[in-house]
């Protein structure tokens, strides 16, 4: 019964938050004193050191910093893809540590979307079928999954490419399919990790134009890890990290054009 309640809440959370019905509830993402340490036999890496992090509904936030600064670890821990050693993370008021693994997996599937540097499309499935897949796995009927997949592909400008295989699409088009897939369940939050890292400057600009349009018109919340100052400049806010800590959590993108060189702009690097 508890799993059904969690799934029902998660399925509606995205629509509620984007429509502003939960704005009084405060941040959609809230993390307090988060610690994450990776240990091997010989090495201890303090990836996150007592990190506090908040994102409001409808915000587009860029997380920036040099390689190894903890950006991707932050995304993984905030989204529940990775566990934390101490501290608290809540999404739309739901403490992640209170959820079972199954409930957390259901929550991610229905209330979060993910877009990565690698498009992660199944090569034997068409664009539409790739978008349908997470809907079908979440229990959506075949008819509804097909309709929503077409709707999301039209939203990202690929209404005329629904039956194309990934190999028949450009890199930018494949990333648009990945974005449509991330949006398929109307998630409260879309997480992006170096999502323009495999794209040239023209396709990168087009993808970011699409995301900013979705953010402004659909009030979609985005948290984007990036090395690119050009990408960061389009966000509502830049969170800058270094050595596992947030060194600046509120700088607007256009305020930081002069300081681009100190953080690097190498596309495609990973934490």
């Amino acid at each position: 019964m508890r799993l059904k309640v969690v799934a029902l809440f998660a399925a509606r959370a995205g629509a509620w938050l984007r429509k502003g019905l939960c704005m009084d509830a405060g941040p959609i993402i809230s993390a307090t004193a988060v610690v994450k340490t990776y240990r091997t036999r010989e090495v201890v890496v303090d990836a996150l050191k007592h990190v506090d992090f908040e994102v409001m509904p409808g915000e587009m936030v860029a997380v920036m910093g040099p390689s190894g600064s903890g950006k991707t670890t932050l995304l993984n821990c905030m989204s529940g893809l990775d566990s934390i050693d101490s501290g608290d993370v809540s999404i739309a008021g739901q403490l992640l540590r209170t959820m079972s693994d199954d409930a957390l997996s259901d929550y991610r599937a229905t209330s979060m979307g993910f877009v990565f540097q690698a498009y992660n499309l199944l090569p034997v499935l068409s664009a539409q079928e790739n978008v349908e897949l997470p809907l079908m796995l979440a229990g959506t009927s075949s008819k509804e999954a097909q309709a929503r997949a077409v709707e999301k592909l039209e939203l990202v400008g690929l209404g005329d490419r629904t039956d194309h295989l990934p190999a028949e699409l450009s890199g930018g088009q494949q990333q648009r399919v990945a974005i449509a897939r991330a949006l398929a369940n109307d998630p409260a939050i879309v997480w992006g990790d170096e999502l323009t890292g495999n794209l040239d400057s023209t396709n990168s600009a087009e993808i970011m134009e699409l995301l900013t349009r979705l953010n402004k018109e659909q009030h979609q919340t985005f948290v984007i890890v990036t090395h690119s100052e050009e990408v960061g400049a389009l966000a509502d806010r830049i969170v800058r990290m270094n050595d596992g800590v947030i060194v600046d959590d509120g700088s607007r993108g256009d305020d930081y054009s002069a300081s681009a060189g100190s953080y690097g702009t190498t596309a495609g690097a990973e934490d």
Side-chain angles (χ1 to χ4, degrees):
M1 179 65 181
R2 181 174 179 272
L3 287 177
K4 290 182 179 179
V5 171
V6 169
L8 179 63
F9 170 79
R12 288 169 168 74
W16 289 346
L17 288 163
R18 287 197 305 279
K19 291 177 181 177
L21 299 180
C22 292
M23 288 296 289
D24 292 339
I28 185 172
I29 305 167
S30 180
T32 305
V34 171
V35 173
K36 178 63 180 178
T37 302
Y38 295 105
R39 292 179 174 87
T40 66
R41 291 183 178 180
E42 300 178 353
V43 179
V44 175
V45 178
D46 296 318
L48 297 177
K49 306 172 185 176
H50 301 280
V51 168
D52 297 335
F53 181 67
E54 286 189 348
V55 176
M56 298 301 293
E59 246 192 322
M60 176 181 282
V61 175
V63 181
M64 302 190 68
S67 295
S69 61
K71 305 185 301 299
T72 295
T73 301
L74 179 73
L75 182 151
N76 290 342
C77 290
M78 296 302 102
S79 64
L81 288 173
D82 203 352
S83 61
I84 60 176
D85 297 319
S86 63
D88 276 319
V89 177
S90 63
I91 304 293
Q94 174 70 55
L95 273 174
L96 298 190
R97 63 177 168 80
T98 66
M99 303 173 73
S100 68
D101 288 343
D102 286 344
L104 186 54
S105 294
D106 288 342
Y107 190 80
R108 280 196 302 268
T110 55
S111 196
M112 298 181 188
F114 295 86
V115 185
F116 299 101
Q117 180 175 337
Y119 318 125
N120 294 333
L121 302 178
L122 294 180
V124 297
L125 298 184
S126 68
Q128 180 177 328
E129 290 167 337
N130 268 284
V131 179
E132 287 177 19
L133 184 59
L135 292 166
M136 300 290 286
L137 293 174
T140 305
S141 70
S142 177
K143 183 177 180 180
E144 183 180 353
Q146 290 173 13
R148 288 170 67 177
V150 170
E151 174 193 348
K152 298 307 180 185
L153 286 167
E154 289 176 346
L155 183 65
V156 301
L158 290 179
D160 60 344
R161 297 287 191 274
T162 58
D163 61 345
H164 284 56
L165 295 173
E168 299 171 326
L169 301 171
S170 69
Q173 289 171 333
Q174 290 185 59
Q175 194 62 297
R176 286 174 182 266
V177 175
I179 293 168
R181 182 181 57 194
L183 297 170
N185 276 313
D186 294 323
I189 305 161
V190 173
W191 308 88
D193 191 2
E194 299 289 0
L195 52 80
T196 63
N198 282 345
L199 303 177
D200 59 29
S201 58
T202 298
N203 279 305
S204 294
E206 291 177 355
I207 289 297
M208 288 310 301
E209 181 181 0
L210 169 63
L211 296 189
T212 53
R213 176 169 61 82
L214 293 171
N215 173 248
K216 302 308 179 187
E217 296 179 2
Q218 306 286 327
H219 307 291
Q220 179 66 60
T221 303
F222 287 98
V223 179
I224 301 171
V225 168
T226 182
H227 278 77
S228 169
E229 291 289 341
E230 290 78 9
V231 170
L234 295 173
D236 297 320
R237 180 162 58 97
I238 293 177
V239 171
R240 294 187 182 269
M241 297 191 68
N242 198 27
D243 292 334
V245 299
I246 291 177
V247 296
D248 194 316
D249 67 355
S251 299
R252 296 289 177 174
D254 56 2
D255 292 335
Y256 265 77
S257 59
S259 62
S262 62
Y263 285 87
T265 57
T266 303
E270 299 177 354
D271 284 320

